[in-house]
PDB file of all heavy atoms in Angstrom:
ATOM      1  N   LEU A   1      89.605  26.247 169.321  1.00 94.00           N
ATOM      2  CA  LEU A   1      88.378  27.053 169.387  1.00 94.00           C
ATOM      3  C   LEU A   1      87.500  26.815 168.164  1.00 94.00           C
ATOM      4  O   LEU A   1      86.265  26.703 168.275  1.00 94.00           O
ATOM      5  CB  LEU A   1      88.722  28.535 169.487  1.00 94.00           C
ATOM      6  CG  LEU A   1      89.229  29.066 170.836  1.00 94.00           C
ATOM      7  CD1 LEU A   1      89.528  30.552 170.726  1.00 94.00           C
ATOM      8  CD2 LEU A   1      88.198  28.813 171.938  1.00 94.00           C
ATOM      9  N   GLN A   2      88.130  26.733 166.995  1.00 94.00           N
ATOM     10  CA  GLN A   2      87.382  26.502 165.760  1.00 94.00           C
ATOM     11  C   GLN A   2      86.667  25.149 165.806  1.00 94.00           C
ATOM     12  O   GLN A   2      85.497  25.038 165.414  1.00 94.00           O
ATOM     13  CB  GLN A   2      88.324  26.554 164.547  1.00 94.00           C
ATOM     14  CG  GLN A   2      87.604  26.366 163.210  1.00 94.00           C
ATOM     15  CD  GLN A   2      88.571  26.272 162.037  1.00 94.00           C
ATOM     16  OE1 GLN A   2      89.793  26.357 162.206  1.00 94.00           O
ATOM     17  NE2 GLN A   2      88.032  26.088 160.847  1.00 94.00           N
ATOM     18  N   MET A   3      87.373  24.133 166.306  1.00 94.00           N
ATOM     19  CA  MET A   3      86.765  22.805 166.418  1.00 94.00           C
ATOM     20  C   MET A   3      85.582  22.829 167.382  1.00 94.00           C
ATOM     21  O   MET A   3      84.510  22.287 167.086  1.00 94.00           O
ATOM     22  CB  MET A   3      87.806  21.795 166.905  1.00 94.00           C
ATOM     23  CG  MET A   3      88.847  21.431 165.874  1.00 94.00           C
ATOM     24  SD  MET A   3      90.029  20.226 166.541  1.00 94.00           S
ATOM     25  CE  MET A   3      90.849  19.702 165.034  1.00 94.00           C
ATOM     26  N   ARG A   4      85.793  23.449 168.514  1.00 94.00           N
ATOM     27  CA  ARG A   4      84.738  23.498 169.527  1.00 94.00           C
ATOM     28  C   ARG A   4      83.503  24.210 168.987  1.00 94.00           C
ATOM     29  O   ARG A   4      82.371  23.742 169.152  1.00 94.00           O
ATOM     30  CB  ARG A   4      85.268  24.204 170.776  1.00 94.00           C
ATOM     31  CG  ARG A   4      84.328  24.127 171.972  1.00 94.00           C
ATOM     32  CD  ARG A   4      84.995  24.707 173.219  1.00 94.00           C
ATOM     33  NE  ARG A   4      84.179  24.482 174.391  1.00 94.00           N
ATOM     34  CZ  ARG A   4      83.227  25.314 174.800  1.00 94.00           C
ATOM     35  NH1 ARG A   4      82.979  26.418 174.120  1.00 94.00           N
ATOM     36  NH2 ARG A   4      82.521  25.039 175.893  1.00 94.00           N
ATOM     37  N   ASP A   5      83.699  25.356 168.328  1.00 94.00           N
ATOM     38  CA  ASP A   5      82.572  26.129 167.794  1.00 94.00           C
ATOM     39  C   ASP A   5      81.876  25.380 166.661  1.00 94.00           C
ATOM     40  O   ASP A   5      80.638  25.406 166.560  1.00 94.00           O
ATOM     41  CB  ASP A   5      83.059  27.493 167.302  1.00 94.00           C
ATOM     42  CG  ASP A   5      83.546  28.387 168.435  1.00 94.00           C
ATOM     43  OD1 ASP A   5      83.225  28.083 169.599  1.00 94.00           O
ATOM     44  OD2 ASP A   5      84.266  29.369 168.157  1.00 94.00           O
ATOM     45  N   THR A   6      82.652  24.711 165.807  1.00 95.00           N
ATOM     46  CA  THR A   6      82.078  23.977 164.677  1.00 95.00           C
ATOM     47  C   THR A   6      81.216  22.820 165.150  1.00 95.00           C
ATOM     48  O   THR A   6      80.094  22.607 164.657  1.00 95.00           O
ATOM     49  CB  THR A   6      83.197  23.453 163.747  1.00 95.00           C
ATOM     50  OG1 THR A   6      83.959  24.560 163.253  1.00 95.00           O
ATOM     51  CG2 THR A   6      82.606  22.682 162.569  1.00 95.00           C
ATOM     52  N   VAL A   7      81.723  22.052 166.108  1.00 95.00           N
ATOM     53  CA  VAL A   7      80.966  20.920 166.637  1.00 95.00           C
ATOM     54  C   VAL A   7      79.687  21.404 167.318  1.00 95.00           C
ATOM     55  O   VAL A   7      78.608  20.828 167.129  1.00 95.00           O
ATOM     56  CB  VAL A   7      81.826  20.095 167.617  1.00 95.00           C
ATOM     57  CG1 VAL A   7      80.972  19.057 168.353  1.00 95.00           C
ATOM     58  CG2 VAL A   7      82.952  19.399 166.874  1.00 95.00           C
ATOM     59  N   ALA A   8      79.788  22.483 168.102  1.00 94.00           N
ATOM     60  CA  ALA A   8      78.613  23.024 168.782  1.00 94.00           C
ATOM     61  C   ALA A   8      77.571  23.512 167.777  1.00 94.00           C
ATOM     62  O   ALA A   8      76.365  23.285 167.948  1.00 94.00           O
ATOM     63  CB  ALA A   8      79.027  24.164 169.710  1.00 94.00           C
ATOM     64  N   LYS A   9      78.028  24.175 166.715  1.00 95.00           N
ATOM     65  CA  LYS A   9      77.113  24.737 165.710  1.00 95.00           C
ATOM     66  C   LYS A   9      76.383  23.644 164.943  1.00 95.00           C
ATOM     67  O   LYS A   9      75.174  23.740 164.689  1.00 95.00           O
ATOM     68  CB  LYS A   9      77.892  25.619 164.742  1.00 95.00           C
ATOM     69  CG  LYS A   9      77.037  26.220 163.625  1.00 95.00           C
ATOM     70  CD  LYS A   9      77.883  27.077 162.688  1.00 95.00           C
ATOM     71  CE  LYS A   9      77.036  27.651 161.549  1.00 95.00           C
ATOM     72  NZ  LYS A   9      77.854  28.483 160.627  1.00 95.00           N
ATOM     73  N   HIS A  10      77.098  22.591 164.561  1.00 95.00           N
ATOM     74  CA  HIS A  10      76.515  21.578 163.674  1.00 95.00           C
ATOM     75  C   HIS A  10      75.876  20.400 164.398  1.00 95.00           C
ATOM     76  O   HIS A  10      75.106  19.649 163.788  1.00 95.00           O
ATOM     77  CB  HIS A  10      77.585  21.068 162.710  1.00 95.00           C
ATOM     78  CG  HIS A  10      78.016  22.080 161.699  1.00 95.00           C
ATOM     79  ND1 HIS A  10      77.297  22.372 160.570  1.00 95.00           N
ATOM     80  CD2 HIS A  10      79.094  22.899 161.658  1.00 95.00           C
ATOM     81  CE1 HIS A  10      77.904  23.310 159.863  1.00 95.00           C
ATOM     82  NE2 HIS A  10      79.013  23.651 160.508  1.00 95.00           N
ATOM     83  N   THR A  11      76.195  20.197 165.666  1.00 94.00           N
ATOM     84  CA  THR A  11      75.603  19.070 166.403  1.00 94.00           C
ATOM     85  C   THR A  11      74.919  19.475 167.699  1.00 94.00           C
ATOM     86  O   THR A  11      74.081  18.731 168.213  1.00 94.00           O
ATOM     87  CB  THR A  11      76.669  18.008 166.756  1.00 94.00           C
ATOM     88  OG1 THR A  11      77.574  18.540 167.744  1.00 94.00           O
ATOM     89  CG2 THR A  11      77.450  17.577 165.518  1.00 94.00           C
ATOM     90  N   GLY A  12      75.302  20.613 168.264  1.00 94.00           N
ATOM     91  CA  GLY A  12      74.756  21.024 169.555  1.00 94.00           C
ATOM     92  C   GLY A  12      75.464  20.395 170.736  1.00 94.00           C
ATOM     93  O   GLY A  12      75.093  20.634 171.890  1.00 94.00           O
ATOM     94  N   ILE A  13      76.502  19.603 170.483  1.00 95.00           N
ATOM     95  CA  ILE A  13      77.235  18.923 171.554  1.00 95.00           C
ATOM     96  C   ILE A  13      78.412  19.794 172.006  1.00 95.00           C
ATOM     97  O   ILE A  13      79.256  20.162 171.188  1.00 95.00           O
ATOM     98  CB  ILE A  13      77.775  17.559 171.089  1.00 95.00           C
ATOM     99  CG1 ILE A  13      76.632  16.639 170.644  1.00 95.00           C
ATOM    100  CG2 ILE A  13      78.589  16.892 172.193  1.00 95.00           C
ATOM    101  CD1 ILE A  13      75.694  16.219 171.752  1.00 95.00           C
ATOM    102  N   PRO A  14      78.494  20.136 173.301  1.00 94.00           N
ATOM    103  CA  PRO A  14      79.652  20.895 173.798  1.00 94.00           C
ATOM    104  C   PRO A  14      80.855  19.975 173.990  1.00 94.00           C
ATOM    105  O   PRO A  14      80.715  18.857 174.490  1.00 94.00           O
ATOM    106  CB  PRO A  14      79.156  21.432 175.146  1.00 94.00           C
ATOM    107  CG  PRO A  14      78.148  20.425 175.606  1.00 94.00           C
ATOM    108  CD  PRO A  14      77.496  19.880 174.363  1.00 94.00           C
ATOM    109  N   ILE A  15      82.026  20.423 173.568  1.00 95.00           N
ATOM    110  CA  ILE A  15      83.239  19.625 173.754  1.00 95.00           C
ATOM    111  C   ILE A  15      84.308  20.469 174.437  1.00 95.00           C
ATOM    112  O   ILE A  15      84.279  21.706 174.368  1.00 95.00           O
ATOM    113  CB  ILE A  15      83.792  19.060 172.431  1.00 95.00           C
ATOM    114  CG1 ILE A  15      84.306  20.186 171.523  1.00 95.00           C
ATOM    115  CG2 ILE A  15      82.741  18.227 171.721  1.00 95.00           C
ATOM    116  CD1 ILE A  15      85.040  19.691 170.279  1.00 95.00           C
ATOM    117  N   SER A  16      85.236  19.800 175.082  1.00 95.00           N
ATOM    118  CA  SER A  16      86.412  20.449 175.663  1.00 95.00           C
ATOM    119  C   SER A  16      87.643  19.878 174.971  1.00 95.00           C
ATOM    120  O   SER A  16      87.672  18.697 174.627  1.00 95.00           O
ATOM    121  CB  SER A  16      86.493  20.181 177.173  1.00 95.00           C
ATOM    122  OG  SER A  16      85.381  20.731 177.836  1.00 95.00           O
ATOM    123  N   ILE A  17      88.654  20.738 174.768  1.00 95.00           N
ATOM    124  CA  ILE A  17      89.861  20.305 174.068  1.00 95.00           C
ATOM    125  C   ILE A  17      91.092  20.649 174.898  1.00 95.00           C
ATOM    126  O   ILE A  17      91.307  21.806 175.262  1.00 95.00           O
ATOM    127  CB  ILE A  17      89.963  20.956 172.677  1.00 95.00           C
ATOM    128  CG1 ILE A  17      88.759  20.529 171.821  1.00 95.00           C
ATOM    129  CG2 ILE A  17      91.275  20.569 171.989  1.00 95.00           C
ATOM    130  CD1 ILE A  17      88.741  21.126 170.438  1.00 95.00           C
ATOM    131  N   GLY A  18      91.883  19.609 175.208  1.00 94.00           N
ATOM    132  CA  GLY A  18      93.147  19.793 175.902  1.00 94.00           C
ATOM    133  C   GLY A  18      94.292  19.558 174.943  1.00 94.00           C
ATOM    134  O   GLY A  18      94.265  18.593 174.174  1.00 94.00           O
ATOM    135  N   ILE A  19      95.282  20.442 174.971  1.00 94.00           N
ATOM    136  CA  ILE A  19      96.391  20.377 174.019  1.00 94.00           C
ATOM    137  C   ILE A  19      97.710  20.375 174.781  1.00 94.00           C
ATOM    138  O   ILE A  19      97.934  21.213 175.650  1.00 94.00           O
ATOM    139  CB  ILE A  19      96.346  21.579 173.052  1.00 94.00           C
ATOM    140  CG1 ILE A  19      94.978  21.648 172.354  1.00 94.00           C
ATOM    141  CG2 ILE A  19      97.471  21.480 172.018  1.00 94.00           C
ATOM    142  CD1 ILE A  19      94.722  22.947 171.630  1.00 94.00           C
ATOM    143  N   ALA A  20      98.582  19.413 174.458  1.00 94.00           N
ATOM    144  CA  ALA A  20      99.878  19.306 175.133  1.00 94.00           C
ATOM    145  C   ALA A  20     100.847  18.527 174.239  1.00 94.00           C
ATOM    146  O   ALA A  20     100.507  18.140 173.121  1.00 94.00           O
ATOM    147  CB  ALA A  20      99.714  18.623 176.488  1.00 94.00           C
ATOM    148  N   LYS A  21     102.041  18.269 174.763  1.00 93.00           N
ATOM    149  CA  LYS A  21     103.084  17.615 173.960  1.00 93.00           C
ATOM    150  C   LYS A  21     102.871  16.108 173.815  1.00 93.00           C
ATOM    151  O   LYS A  21     103.410  15.499 172.893  1.00 93.00           O
ATOM    152  CB  LYS A  21     104.453  17.880 174.583  1.00 93.00           C
ATOM    153  CG  LYS A  21     104.903  19.341 174.502  1.00 93.00           C
ATOM    154  CD  LYS A  21     106.269  19.523 175.139  1.00 93.00           C
ATOM    155  CE  LYS A  21     106.729  20.976 175.040  1.00 93.00           C
ATOM    156  NZ  LYS A  21     108.057  21.185 175.677  1.00 93.00           N
ATOM    157  N   THR A  22     102.138  15.504 174.726  1.00 93.00           N
ATOM    158  CA  THR A  22     101.928  14.057 174.691  1.00 93.00           C
ATOM    159  C   THR A  22     100.457  13.732 174.943  1.00 93.00           C
ATOM    160  O   THR A  22      99.680  14.573 175.404  1.00 93.00           O
ATOM    161  CB  THR A  22     102.775  13.336 175.757  1.00 93.00           C
ATOM    162  OG1 THR A  22     102.263  13.672 177.068  1.00 93.00           O
ATOM    163  CG2 THR A  22     104.241  13.731 175.669  1.00 93.00           C
ATOM    164  N   LYS A  23     100.089  12.477 174.677  1.00 93.00           N
ATOM    165  CA  LYS A  23      98.717  12.045 174.919  1.00 93.00           C
ATOM    166  C   LYS A  23      98.338  12.155 176.399  1.00 93.00           C
ATOM    167  O   LYS A  23      97.251  12.613 176.750  1.00 93.00           O
ATOM    168  CB  LYS A  23      98.540  10.589 174.463  1.00 93.00           C
ATOM    169  CG  LYS A  23      98.202  10.398 172.999  1.00 93.00           C
ATOM    170  CD  LYS A  23      97.897   8.928 172.739  1.00 93.00           C
ATOM    171  CE  LYS A  23      97.296   8.720 171.361  1.00 93.00           C
ATOM    172  NZ  LYS A  23      96.942   7.304 171.125  1.00 93.00           N
ATOM    173  N   THR A  24      99.252  11.720 177.257  1.00 94.00           N
ATOM    174  CA  THR A  24      98.970  11.720 178.695  1.00 94.00           C
ATOM    175  C   THR A  24      98.804  13.137 179.216  1.00 94.00           C
ATOM    176  O   THR A  24      97.903  13.422 180.019  1.00 94.00           O
ATOM    177  CB  THR A  24     100.080  10.982 179.463  1.00 94.00           C
ATOM    178  OG1 THR A  24     100.269   9.682 178.892  1.00 94.00           O
ATOM    179  CG2 THR A  24      99.730  10.831 180.929  1.00 94.00           C
ATOM    180  N   LEU A  25      99.654  14.052 178.769  1.00 95.00           N
ATOM    181  CA  LEU A  25      99.511  15.453 179.173  1.00 95.00           C
ATOM    182  C   LEU A  25      98.276  16.089 178.537  1.00 95.00           C
ATOM    183  O   LEU A  25      97.663  16.984 179.130  1.00 95.00           O
ATOM    184  CB  LEU A  25     100.764  16.240 178.800  1.00 95.00           C
ATOM    185  CG  LEU A  25     101.996  15.989 179.676  1.00 95.00           C
ATOM    186  CD1 LEU A  25     103.199  16.754 179.134  1.00 95.00           C
ATOM    187  CD2 LEU A  25     101.739  16.392 181.136  1.00 95.00           C
TER     188      LEU A  25
END
């Protein structure tokens, strides 16, 4: 959430973040 809000605040670009145990997941 912190990353998403920081990027949006400083660049205006919306991002999505997926988190799991492996790269593929």
Side-chain angles (χ1 to χ4, degrees):
L1 285 179
Q2 182 186 359
M3 288 180 167
R4 189 173 187 272
D5 293 344
T6 300
V7 170
K9 178 181 179 180
H10 291 281
T11 69
I13 300 294
I15 67 172
S16 297
I17 298 179
I19 305 167
K21 292 180 179 179
T22 69
K23 274 187 169 183
T24 307
L25 286 176

